[in-house]
Amino acid sequence: MIGIWIAALYLLALTAGEKVCYGRLGCFSDKPPWAGIPGRYLAGLPDSPESMNISFTLYTKETRNNSQVISAIHSSTIKDSHFCSHRKTRFIVHGFMSTGKRGWVVEMCLV
């Protein structure tokens, strides 16, 4: 257990005083509000959007059971989708350790 704490403190020390910036998202540092807050245990600074490869699955009346994948870094995927900004939009967040590609998330979207 002590070894885990030593490793965690070592990793935190590696990022001390650092800052990363990602264009339209802005900059993040190891100071509050991103880190340095009791109870918020984050190891390091956020990775780039390109390395995270975040995507959203879009279900619409037009697509029914066939979802469309919207990329967080490629705006053309929104333009080429059936997304309409004037319609009511709901986001279902599955959590960090889960996936939105199967199970209860998909079932909820199809209701």
Side-chain angles (χ1 to χ4, degrees):
M1 184 69 174
I2 292 175
I4 293 173
W5 279 104
I6 291 171
L9 291 173
Y10 173 75
L11 290 173
L12 286 173
L14 288 177
T15 61
E18 290 187 14
K19 177 174 149 179
V20 294
C21 298
Y22 300 119
R24 64 185 172 85
L25 298 178
C27 297
F28 302 87
S29 75
D30 60 353
K31 296 180 173 71
W34 176 254
I37 298 172
R40 186 168 188 183
Y41 304 107
L42 300 173
L45 297 169
D47 292 330
S48 71
E50 291 77 16
S51 68
M52 296 296 295
N53 195 27
I54 296 171
S55 64
F56 302 91
T57 307
L58 176 67
Y59 289 88
T60 66
K61 292 178 182 179
E62 290 82 15
T63 61
R64 301 271 180 203
N65 295 352
N66 299 317
S67 62
Q68 294 178 298
V69 176
I70 307 244
S71 169
I73 56 174
H74 300 293
S75 60
S76 63
T77 58
I78 295 174
K79 295 174 189 168
D80 297 337
S81 74
H82 287 279
F83 177 75
C84 293
S85 61
H86 64 274
R87 289 185 183 167
K88 183 184 279 188
T89 303
R90 295 180 180 99
F91 290 89
I92 301 171
V93 180
H94 55 74
F96 182 71
M97 300 298 289
S98 184
T99 177
K101 300 185 185 332
R102 61 185 171 278
W104 68 269
V105 175
V106 175
E107 291 174 21
M108 185 178 274
C109 292
L110 296 177
V111 173

